[in-house]
Amino acid sequence: MNTFGIEAKASEFVEVHSEDELIKLLKEVNTKALFILSGGSNMLLTKDIDALVIHNKIKGIHSEILAEENKVLLSVGSGENWHDFVQYCIHKDYGGIENLSLIPGYVGSAPIQNIGAYGVELKDTFYNCDAVEIKSAKKVTFSKEDCDFGYRDSIFKNGAKNKYIITQVRFILSTANHNLNIHYGAIKSELENKGIINPKIRDISEAVITIRKSKLPDPNEIGNSGSFFKNPVIKVSHFNTLREKYPEIPSYPIDKKNIKVPAGWLIEKSGFKGKRWGDAGVHHKQALVLVNYGNASGKEIKELAEKIQKTVKSNFDIALETEVNIF
Ligand code: EPU
């Protein structure tokens, strides 16, 4: 139940299939320690879980064509698999999330870290979400503004952290004249390779799937949680100093004072790419992805992550923050 393939035991475990079932359960469990489990694709378990694990199985996709031209509102159960939902939309020709193809995890976790890939983020099509407050077992709706989305960030990682369980997520997608996002270099060249001049959303989804498969390990084959660290944002002055020593350092502008640097480059430059300690390693095609080759423990992966953080800090004076949640 975790894509890193780590062995860990839960002291208690329950599945919930609807919001009503969840509300009933929360009223019964009262002050018990809880652990909310969705797709298990963004977490590293370093020990057994001494809590009641609630596994989200809230399913269902409902669509409503809006009066606004070419728009559809989709309301999706938080326990739906994200990629299956993306494929459902491609099949129906609903545009807006095709660049987010093949991201592991469930729909309900997507707003928590504002998932993003190839120039698109969840927030671009997000409308609102329903959640249940754990303490009161009451239902609340969070608008897009309430969610306070940022780069791999939202209110659910800050003020609302561990306080709510998301049950439904709503998106507004396009039904025609899709606003395609094909500017990301790798997508452009993948479409060119295939000789596609006027891409449809399905072509973009397929291009993204090809790119992801070529770079990122399949969790069904090699345990991993995608990007282990966030791409750090540093001061432009700091970047300029680094560029004197490393003229080839890649970067993405943020604003006048800040600039983002790919963590994968910092890790590769620090010599970790493709290295392995026992069954814990750094992927050979994408240094931002830590992998479990079989029987690594969560502790071993965590130790490797700390070794990387220490080395990157000493080489570049940059503190890498984890993107994956460590328990
Ligand atoms: N790079 C290296 N060596 C590496 C990996 C990357 O030098 O081993 C450098 C290259 O210069 C490359 C640049 O980093 O051009 C960016 O690499 P890539 O396009 O693979 O993207 P990323 O910044 O490493 C981010 C997301 C991914 C997302 C891709 C594509 C984060 C933390 N990660 O990775 O998201 O798929 O962009 O948009 O922002 C995830 O969050 O789990 C995830 C996989």
Side-chain angles (χ1 to χ4, degrees):
M1 297 189 130
N2 68 95
T3 59
F4 247 124
I6 302 287
E7 289 285 337
K9 288 191 184 70
S11 55
E12 287 180 278
F13 181 92
V14 65
E15 288 179 349
V16 289
H17 302 85
S18 68
E19 192 175 80
D20 289 346
E21 222 176 272
L22 174 64
I23 290 174
K24 192 166 164 265
L25 176 74
L26 289 175
K27 282 182 180 161
E28 282 165 12
V29 295
N30 222 329
T31 56
K32 220 176 232 185
L34 302 177
F35 184 103
I36 315 306
L37 175 67
S38 288
S41 61
N42 200 40
M43 63 182 208
L44 176 67
L45 297 168
T46 61
K47 51 184 183 292
D48 287 344
I49 307 169
D50 187 18
L52 170 64
V53 173
I54 301 181
H55 188 208
N56 181 353
K57 291 258 184 179
I58 303 172
K59 307 265 189 202
I61 304 178
H62 301 279
S63 54
E64 183 190 333
I65 299 292
L66 298 177
E68 194 185 341
E69 208 182 351
N70 301 335
K71 292 275 183 279
V72 60
L73 174 71
L74 286 137
S75 187
V76 191
S78 54
E80 287 285 349
N81 174 281
W82 173 264
H83 180 65
D84 291 348
F85 168 56
V86 174
Q87 290 308 299
Y88 169 92
C89 294
I90 306 272
H91 180 71
K92 295 267 183 187
D93 199 28
Y94 296 157
I97 54 172
E98 54 283 353
N99 295 47
L100 304 178
S101 294
L102 214 61
I103 295 185
Y106 288 2
V107 169
S109 313
I112 297 179
Q113 64 154 346
N114 182 24
I115 57 169
Y118 309 107
V120 172
E121 286 185 320
L122 170 112
K123 73 170 171 56
D124 304 333
T125 50
F126 177 92
Y127 179 59
N128 69 15
C129 67
D130 293 342
V132 177
E133 191 189 19
I134 294 174
K135 207 162 116 192
S136 64
K138 292 226 164 73
K139 185 175 154 177
V140 235
T141 299
F142 286 86
S143 70
K144 187 168 172 170
E145 287 68 38
D146 293 338
C147 290
D148 199 17
F149 290 121
Y151 166 60
R152 293 296 194 279
D153 203 28
S154 77
I155 191 171
F156 301 107
K157 287 178 95 174
N158 297 289
K161 191 173 177 176
N162 299 332
K163 292 187 180 148
Y164 297 89
I165 300 174
I166 295 173
T167 51
Q168 287 285 318
V169 187
R170 295 186 190 85
F171 301 85
I172 293 185
L173 301 183
S174 54
T175 55
N177 298 333
H178 306 299
N179 188 9
L180 303 180
N181 197 321
I182 52 168
H183 306 298
Y184 200 93
I187 295 191
K188 237 191 214 164
S189 44
E190 186 57 35
L191 292 172
E192 273 167 24
N193 285 348
K194 289 182 174 164
I196 298 170
I197 296 156
N198 291 313
K200 308 246 179 310
I201 57 173
R202 181 177 297 279
D203 299 317
I204 295 179
S205 171
E206 282 170 8
V208 167
I209 291 172
T210 309
I211 300 163
R212 286 188 78 96
K213 281 191 172 160
S214 74
K215 273 196 185 180
L216 300 167
D218 178 351
N220 292 320
E221 287 161 20
I222 303 174
N224 76 89
S225 268
S227 301
F228 197 90
F229 302 100
K230 289 201 225 178
N231 286 330
V233 174
I234 61 172
K235 295 267 169 271
V236 169
S237 51
H238 184 176
F239 177 76
N240 288 338
T241 317
L242 289 174
R243 199 165 49 179
E244 279 170 26
K245 194 168 171 198
Y246 309 98
E248 77 285 12
I249 184 169
S251 63
Y252 313 104
I254 299 279
D255 54 39
K256 273 191 183 148
K257 288 189 179 153
N258 300 293
I259 195 159
K260 198 188 268 182
V261 180
W265 185 88
L266 300 169
I267 298 168
E268 177 170 352
K269 207 72 189 169
S270 300
F272 285 100
K273 195 170 186 173
K275 292 273 164 64
R276 179 174 174 167
W277 288 262
D279 272 354
V282 178
H283 192 54
H284 64 287
K285 288 185 188 158
Q286 168 49 292
L288 195 48
V289 178
L290 303 193
V291 292
N292 172 12
Y293 284 106
N295 293 313
S297 67
K299 273 197 185 129
E300 285 170 311
I301 305 268
K302 189 176 171 216
E303 276 163 21
L304 171 57
E306 286 166 353
K307 191 167 10 183
I308 292 171
Q309 282 170 316
K310 231 171 157 180
T311 313
V312 166
K313 175 78 185 154
S314 110
N315 288 349
F316 304 100
D317 195 22
I318 294 177
L320 289 183
E321 271 178 49
T322 60
E323 201 226 69
V324 166
N325 298 306
I326 301 175
F327 298 99

mmCIF file of all heavy atoms in Angstrom, residues 116-119 151-152 184 212 215-216 225-227 229-231 250 252 262 264-265 268 273 285-288 323, ligand 1:
data_model
loop_
_atom_site.group_PDB
_atom_site.id
_atom_site.type_symbol
_atom_site.label_atom_id
_atom_site.label_comp_id
_atom_site.label_asym_id
_atom_site.label_seq_id
_atom_site.Cartn_x
_atom_site.Cartn_y
_atom_site.Cartn_z
ATOM 1 N N GLY A 116 2.090 18.676 -9.925
ATOM 2 C CA GLY A 116 2.427 19.430 -11.129
ATOM 3 C C GLY A 116 3.413 18.664 -11.984
ATOM 4 O O GLY A 116 4.203 17.869 -11.485
ATOM 5 N N ALA A 117 3.316 18.876 -13.298
ATOM 6 C CA ALA A 117 4.296 18.298 -14.225
ATOM 7 C C ALA A 117 4.140 18.944 -15.586
ATOM 8 O O ALA A 117 3.019 19.309 -15.983
ATOM 9 C CB ALA A 117 4.103 16.784 -14.350
ATOM 10 N N TYR A 118 5.256 19.106 -16.270
ATOM 11 C CA TYR A 118 5.281 19.581 -17.664
ATOM 12 C C TYR A 118 4.444 20.837 -17.887
ATOM 13 O O TYR A 118 3.602 20.904 -18.785
ATOM 14 C CB TYR A 118 4.894 18.422 -18.611
ATOM 15 C CG TYR A 118 5.737 17.215 -18.308
ATOM 16 C CD1 TYR A 118 5.204 16.103 -17.655
ATOM 17 C CD2 TYR A 118 7.102 17.229 -18.580
ATOM 18 C CE1 TYR A 118 6.016 15.026 -17.295
ATOM 19 C CE2 TYR A 118 7.908 16.174 -18.218
ATOM 20 C CZ TYR A 118 7.366 15.084 -17.583
ATOM 21 O OH TYR A 118 8.169 14.044 -17.212
ATOM 22 N N GLY A 119 4.691 21.828 -17.012
ATOM 23 C CA GLY A 119 4.098 23.150 -17.208
ATOM 24 C C GLY A 119 2.673 23.308 -16.706
ATOM 25 O O GLY A 119 2.064 24.359 -16.893
ATOM 26 N N TYR A 151 3.896 26.198 -5.065
ATOM 27 C CA TYR A 151 4.673 25.107 -5.678
ATOM 28 C C TYR A 151 4.724 23.923 -4.713
ATOM 29 O O TYR A 151 5.285 24.024 -3.635
ATOM 30 C CB TYR A 151 6.080 25.614 -6.034
ATOM 31 C CG TYR A 151 7.082 24.523 -6.354
ATOM 32 C CD1 TYR A 151 6.877 23.637 -7.404
ATOM 33 C CD2 TYR A 151 8.234 24.374 -5.589
ATOM 34 C CE1 TYR A 151 7.792 22.635 -7.684
ATOM 35 C CE2 TYR A 151 9.158 23.388 -5.864
ATOM 36 C CZ TYR A 151 8.926 22.517 -6.912
ATOM 37 O OH TYR A 151 9.848 21.525 -7.175
ATOM 38 N N ARG A 152 4.089 22.825 -5.097
ATOM 39 C CA ARG A 152 3.964 21.615 -4.265
ATOM 40 C C ARG A 152 3.513 21.982 -2.850
ATOM 41 O O ARG A 152 3.997 21.425 -1.861
ATOM 42 C CB ARG A 152 5.307 20.877 -4.180
ATOM 43 C CG ARG A 152 5.783 20.280 -5.467
ATOM 44 C CD ARG A 152 4.844 19.179 -5.973
ATOM 45 N NE ARG A 152 5.461 18.397 -7.016
ATOM 46 C CZ ARG A 152 5.521 18.776 -8.293
ATOM 47 N NH1 ARG A 152 4.977 19.918 -8.671
ATOM 48 N NH2 ARG A 152 6.124 18.016 -9.185
ATOM 49 N N TYR A 184 6.655 22.952 -22.764
ATOM 50 C CA TYR A 184 7.717 22.260 -22.056
ATOM 51 C C TYR A 184 8.577 21.496 -23.071
ATOM 52 O O TYR A 184 8.052 20.729 -23.890
ATOM 53 C CB TYR A 184 7.088 21.303 -21.048
ATOM 54 C CG TYR A 184 8.017 20.875 -19.950
ATOM 55 C CD1 TYR A 184 8.058 21.556 -18.736
ATOM 56 C CD2 TYR A 184 8.863 19.800 -20.122
ATOM 57 C CE1 TYR A 184 8.910 21.165 -17.738
ATOM 58 C CE2 TYR A 184 9.726 19.399 -19.121
ATOM 59 C CZ TYR A 184 9.740 20.089 -17.931
ATOM 60 O OH TYR A 184 10.593 19.694 -16.943
ATOM 61 N N ARG A 212 7.639 10.259 -19.141
ATOM 62 C CA ARG A 212 7.727 9.791 -17.751
ATOM 63 C C ARG A 212 8.297 8.370 -17.696
ATOM 64 O O ARG A 212 9.133 8.070 -16.844
ATOM 65 C CB ARG A 212 6.352 9.837 -17.067
ATOM 66 C CG ARG A 212 5.893 11.238 -16.726
ATOM 67 C CD ARG A 212 4.631 11.218 -15.883
ATOM 68 N NE ARG A 212 4.900 10.900 -14.501
ATOM 69 C CZ ARG A 212 5.057 11.805 -13.535
ATOM 70 N NH1 ARG A 212 4.937 13.082 -13.794
ATOM 71 N NH2 ARG A 212 5.311 11.427 -12.296
ATOM 72 N N LYS A 215 12.050 8.234 -18.055
ATOM 73 C CA LYS A 215 12.903 8.843 -17.023
ATOM 74 C C LYS A 215 12.634 8.317 -15.630
ATOM 75 O O LYS A 215 13.534 8.250 -14.800
ATOM 76 C CB LYS A 215 12.583 10.349 -16.960
ATOM 77 C CG LYS A 215 13.340 11.203 -17.897
ATOM 78 C CD LYS A 215 13.192 12.618 -17.422
ATOM 79 C CE LYS A 215 13.822 13.588 -18.363
ATOM 80 N NZ LYS A 215 13.663 14.959 -17.869
ATOM 81 N N LEU A 216 11.344 8.047 -15.360
ATOM 82 C CA LEU A 216 10.973 7.747 -13.982
ATOM 83 C C LEU A 216 10.705 6.252 -13.815
ATOM 84 O O LEU A 216 10.053 5.639 -14.653
ATOM 85 C CB LEU A 216 9.711 8.537 -13.588
ATOM 86 C CG LEU A 216 9.850 10.053 -13.672
ATOM 87 C CD1 LEU A 216 8.490 10.735 -13.572
ATOM 88 C CD2 LEU A 216 10.752 10.556 -12.554
ATOM 89 N N SER A 225 8.953 7.011 -4.747
ATOM 90 C CA SER A 225 7.860 7.963 -4.520
ATOM 91 C C SER A 225 8.017 9.183 -5.411
ATOM 92 O O SER A 225 7.736 10.301 -4.989
ATOM 93 C CB SER A 225 7.830 8.403 -3.059
ATOM 94 O OG SER A 225 6.987 7.566 -2.331
ATOM 95 N N GLY A 226 8.502 9.008 -6.613
ATOM 96 C CA GLY A 226 8.709 10.150 -7.516
ATOM 97 C C GLY A 226 9.793 11.067 -6.960
ATOM 98 O O GLY A 226 10.719 10.603 -6.277
ATOM 99 N N SER A 227 9.675 12.361 -7.230
ATOM 100 C CA SER A 227 10.682 13.307 -6.735
ATOM 101 C C SER A 227 10.743 13.237 -5.212
ATOM 102 O O SER A 227 9.723 13.424 -4.559
ATOM 103 C CB SER A 227 10.312 14.737 -7.117
ATOM 104 O OG SER A 227 10.199 14.857 -8.506
ATOM 105 N N PHE A 229 12.812 15.186 -3.331
ATOM 106 C CA PHE A 229 13.019 16.539 -2.810
ATOM 107 C C PHE A 229 12.297 17.548 -3.701
ATOM 108 O O PHE A 229 12.000 17.262 -4.863
ATOM 109 C CB PHE A 229 14.515 16.890 -2.804
ATOM 110 C CG PHE A 229 15.354 15.947 -1.993
ATOM 111 C CD1 PHE A 229 16.084 14.932 -2.609
ATOM 112 C CD2 PHE A 229 15.426 16.064 -0.617
ATOM 113 C CE1 PHE A 229 16.864 14.049 -1.862
ATOM 114 C CE2 PHE A 229 16.201 15.192 0.132
ATOM 115 C CZ PHE A 229 16.923 14.177 -0.487
ATOM 116 N N LYS A 230 12.050 18.737 -3.138
ATOM 117 C CA LYS A 230 11.502 19.827 -3.958
ATOM 118 C C LYS A 230 12.673 20.518 -4.667
ATOM 119 O O LYS A 230 13.803 20.500 -4.172
ATOM 120 C CB LYS A 230 10.845 20.872 -3.066
ATOM 121 C CG LYS A 230 9.559 20.414 -2.435
ATOM 122 C CD LYS A 230 8.773 21.646 -2.029
ATOM 123 C CE LYS A 230 8.202 21.547 -0.663
ATOM 124 N NZ LYS A 230 7.478 22.743 -0.259
ATOM 125 N N ASN A 231 12.386 21.158 -5.780
ATOM 126 C CA ASN A 231 13.419 21.975 -6.415
ATOM 127 C C ASN A 231 13.590 23.240 -5.576
ATOM 128 O O ASN A 231 12.612 23.966 -5.352
ATOM 129 C CB ASN A 231 13.008 22.333 -7.845
ATOM 130 C CG ASN A 231 13.141 21.143 -8.789
ATOM 131 O OD1 ASN A 231 13.993 20.281 -8.598
ATOM 132 N ND2 ASN A 231 12.305 21.098 -9.809
ATOM 133 N N PRO A 250 21.630 24.725 -14.459
ATOM 134 C CA PRO A 250 20.310 25.099 -15.007
ATOM 135 C C PRO A 250 19.481 25.865 -13.977
ATOM 136 O O PRO A 250 19.732 25.759 -12.770
ATOM 137 C CB PRO A 250 19.641 23.747 -15.318
ATOM 138 C CG PRO A 250 20.454 22.689 -14.676
ATOM 139 C CD PRO A 250 21.700 23.301 -14.101
ATOM 140 N N TYR A 252 15.361 28.114 -13.319
ATOM 141 C CA TYR A 252 14.072 28.628 -13.795
ATOM 142 C C TYR A 252 13.793 29.921 -13.034
ATOM 143 O O TYR A 252 13.815 29.920 -11.794
ATOM 144 C CB TYR A 252 12.930 27.640 -13.499
ATOM 145 C CG TYR A 252 13.250 26.212 -13.869
ATOM 146 C CD1 TYR A 252 13.574 25.267 -12.894
ATOM 147 C CD2 TYR A 252 13.221 25.805 -15.201
ATOM 148 C CE1 TYR A 252 13.871 23.952 -13.234
ATOM 149 C CE2 TYR A 252 13.513 24.488 -15.544
ATOM 150 C CZ TYR A 252 13.836 23.580 -14.556
ATOM 151 O OH TYR A 252 14.136 22.282 -14.892
ATOM 152 N N PRO A 262 17.146 23.065 -10.343
ATOM 153 C CA PRO A 262 16.694 21.669 -10.244
ATOM 154 C C PRO A 262 17.524 20.862 -9.245
ATOM 155 O O PRO A 262 18.749 20.758 -9.373
ATOM 156 C CB PRO A 262 16.847 21.112 -11.663
ATOM 157 C CG PRO A 262 17.475 22.156 -12.490
ATOM 158 C CD PRO A 262 17.718 23.384 -11.668
ATOM 159 N N GLY A 264 17.607 17.766 -8.992
ATOM 160 C CA GLY A 264 18.211 16.620 -9.681
ATOM 161 C C GLY A 264 19.624 16.938 -10.147
ATOM 162 O O GLY A 264 20.525 16.090 -10.071
ATOM 163 N N TRP A 265 19.823 18.167 -10.609
ATOM 164 C CA TRP A 265 21.160 18.578 -11.082
ATOM 165 C C TRP A 265 22.133 18.655 -9.908
ATOM 166 O O TRP A 265 23.275 18.176 -9.994
ATOM 167 C CB TRP A 265 21.062 19.947 -11.789
ATOM 168 C CG TRP A 265 22.353 20.381 -12.413
ATOM 169 C CD1 TRP A 265 22.797 20.085 -13.664
ATOM 170 C CD2 TRP A 265 23.376 21.181 -11.793
ATOM 171 N NE1 TRP A 265 24.032 20.643 -13.873
ATOM 172 C CE2 TRP A 265 24.414 21.325 -12.743
ATOM 173 C CE3 TRP A 265 23.526 21.781 -10.540
ATOM 174 C CZ2 TRP A 265 25.573 22.050 -12.479
ATOM 175 C CZ3 TRP A 265 24.674 22.499 -10.267
ATOM 176 C CH2 TRP A 265 25.692 22.629 -11.235
ATOM 177 N N GLU A 268 22.950 15.115 -8.868
ATOM 178 C CA GLU A 268 23.828 14.457 -9.861
ATOM 179 C C GLU A 268 25.248 15.005 -9.740
ATOM 180 O O GLU A 268 26.223 14.260 -9.702
ATOM 181 C CB GLU A 268 23.286 14.690 -11.284
ATOM 182 C CG GLU A 268 24.210 14.084 -12.321
ATOM 183 C CD GLU A 268 23.641 14.066 -13.734
ATOM 184 O OE1 GLU A 268 22.445 14.380 -13.934
ATOM 185 O OE2 GLU A 268 24.422 13.753 -14.647
ATOM 186 N N LYS A 273 24.036 10.167 -8.555
ATOM 187 C CA LYS A 273 23.167 9.552 -9.571
ATOM 188 C C LYS A 273 23.583 8.106 -9.854
ATOM 189 O O LYS A 273 24.750 7.833 -10.118
ATOM 190 C CB LYS A 273 23.233 10.380 -10.860
ATOM 191 C CG LYS A 273 22.114 10.065 -11.837
ATOM 192 C CD LYS A 273 22.111 11.075 -12.963
ATOM 193 C CE LYS A 273 20.943 10.886 -13.875
ATOM 194 N NZ LYS A 273 20.840 11.959 -14.864
ATOM 195 N N LYS A 285 18.500 7.380 -14.002
ATOM 196 C CA LYS A 285 18.078 8.313 -15.054
ATOM 197 C C LYS A 285 17.584 9.636 -14.506
ATOM 198 O O LYS A 285 17.417 10.593 -15.261
ATOM 199 C CB LYS A 285 16.950 7.682 -15.873
ATOM 200 C CG LYS A 285 17.409 6.566 -16.775
ATOM 201 C CD LYS A 285 16.262 6.107 -17.628
ATOM 202 C CE LYS A 285 16.618 4.869 -18.405
ATOM 203 N NZ LYS A 285 15.406 4.147 -18.790
ATOM 204 N N GLN A 286 17.246 9.682 -13.215
ATOM 205 C CA GLN A 286 16.687 10.914 -12.622
ATOM 206 C C GLN A 286 17.129 10.941 -11.161
ATOM 207 O O GLN A 286 16.610 10.199 -10.333
ATOM 208 C CB GLN A 286 15.159 10.903 -12.809
ATOM 209 C CG GLN A 286 14.323 11.911 -12.057
ATOM 210 C CD GLN A 286 14.772 13.340 -12.126
ATOM 211 O OE1 GLN A 286 15.838 13.679 -11.582
ATOM 212 N NE2 GLN A 286 13.972 14.213 -12.730
ATOM 213 N N ALA A 287 18.121 11.811 -10.868
ATOM 214 C CA ALA A 287 18.752 11.806 -9.551
ATOM 215 C C ALA A 287 17.834 12.302 -8.435
ATOM 216 O O ALA A 287 18.156 12.172 -7.252
ATOM 217 C CB ALA A 287 20.029 12.649 -9.599
ATOM 218 N N LEU A 288 16.674 12.856 -8.808
ATOM 219 C CA LEU A 288 15.737 13.367 -7.797
ATOM 220 C C LEU A 288 14.887 12.238 -7.206
ATOM 221 O O LEU A 288 14.155 12.432 -6.249
ATOM 222 C CB LEU A 288 14.834 14.415 -8.486
ATOM 223 C CG LEU A 288 13.998 15.350 -7.651
ATOM 224 C CD1 LEU A 288 14.807 15.979 -6.539
ATOM 225 C CD2 LEU A 288 13.394 16.430 -8.529
ATOM 226 N N GLU A 323 10.122 16.413 -0.501
ATOM 227 C CA GLU A 323 8.780 16.556 -1.066
ATOM 228 C C GLU A 323 7.915 15.434 -0.519
ATOM 229 O O GLU A 323 6.716 15.583 -0.305
ATOM 230 C CB GLU A 323 8.891 16.456 -2.596
ATOM 231 C CG GLU A 323 7.733 17.061 -3.330
ATOM 232 C CD GLU A 323 7.212 16.171 -4.425
ATOM 233 O OE1 GLU A 323 6.639 15.120 -4.104
ATOM 234 O OE2 GLU A 323 7.366 16.541 -5.602
HETATM 235 N N1 EPU B 1 18.581 17.210 -13.932
HETATM 236 C C1 EPU B 1 19.873 16.753 -13.913
HETATM 237 N N2 EPU B 1 20.092 15.463 -13.480
HETATM 238 C C2 EPU B 1 19.090 14.647 -13.113
HETATM 239 C C3 EPU B 1 17.768 15.120 -13.150
HETATM 240 C C4 EPU B 1 17.530 16.413 -13.572
HETATM 241 O O1 EPU B 1 20.809 17.457 -14.231
HETATM 242 O O2 EPU B 1 19.377 13.500 -12.740
HETATM 243 C C5 EPU B 1 18.329 18.603 -14.393
HETATM 244 C C6 EPU B 1 18.331 18.784 -15.872
HETATM 245 O O3 EPU B 1 18.961 20.011 -16.133
HETATM 246 C C7 EPU B 1 16.885 18.912 -16.258
HETATM 247 C C8 EPU B 1 16.321 19.575 -15.017
HETATM 248 O O4 EPU B 1 17.076 19.029 -13.946
HETATM 249 O O5 EPU B 1 16.733 19.682 -17.389
HETATM 250 C C9 EPU B 1 14.861 19.295 -14.785
HETATM 251 O O6 EPU B 1 14.631 17.904 -14.807
HETATM 252 P P1 EPU B 1 13.171 17.310 -15.126
HETATM 253 O O7 EPU B 1 12.600 17.952 -16.314
HETATM 254 O O8 EPU B 1 13.275 15.818 -15.076
HETATM 255 O O9 EPU B 1 12.283 17.846 -13.930
HETATM 256 P P2 EPU B 1 12.548 17.990 -12.364
HETATM 257 O O10 EPU B 1 12.670 19.431 -12.036
HETATM 258 O O11 EPU B 1 13.635 17.085 -11.921
HETATM 259 C C10 EPU B 1 9.991 18.271 -11.849
HETATM 260 C C11 EPU B 1 8.987 17.678 -10.918
HETATM 261 C C12 EPU B 1 8.513 16.311 -11.409
HETATM 262 C C13 EPU B 1 7.891 16.503 -12.794
HETATM 263 C C14 EPU B 1 8.941 17.131 -13.724
HETATM 264 C C15 EPU B 1 8.384 17.461 -15.085
HETATM 265 C C16 EPU B 1 9.562 18.581 -8.730
HETATM 266 C C17 EPU B 1 10.126 18.283 -7.366
HETATM 267 N N3 EPU B 1 9.575 17.560 -9.577
HETATM 268 O O12 EPU B 1 11.144 17.426 -11.805
HETATM 269 O O13 EPU B 1 7.511 15.833 -10.535
HETATM 270 O O14 EPU B 1 7.445 15.265 -13.322
HETATM 271 O O15 EPU B 1 9.423 18.377 -13.151
HETATM 272 O O16 EPU B 1 7.549 18.570 -15.000
HETATM 273 O O17 EPU B 1 9.138 19.705 -8.983
HETATM 274 C C18 EPU B 1 7.137 14.518 -8.575
HETATM 275 O O18 EPU B 1 6.801 15.563 -8.019
HETATM 276 O O19 EPU B 1 7.134 13.402 -7.983
HETATM 277 C C19 EPU B 1 7.602 14.582 -9.961
HETATM 278 C C20 EPU B 1 8.075 13.507 -10.592
#
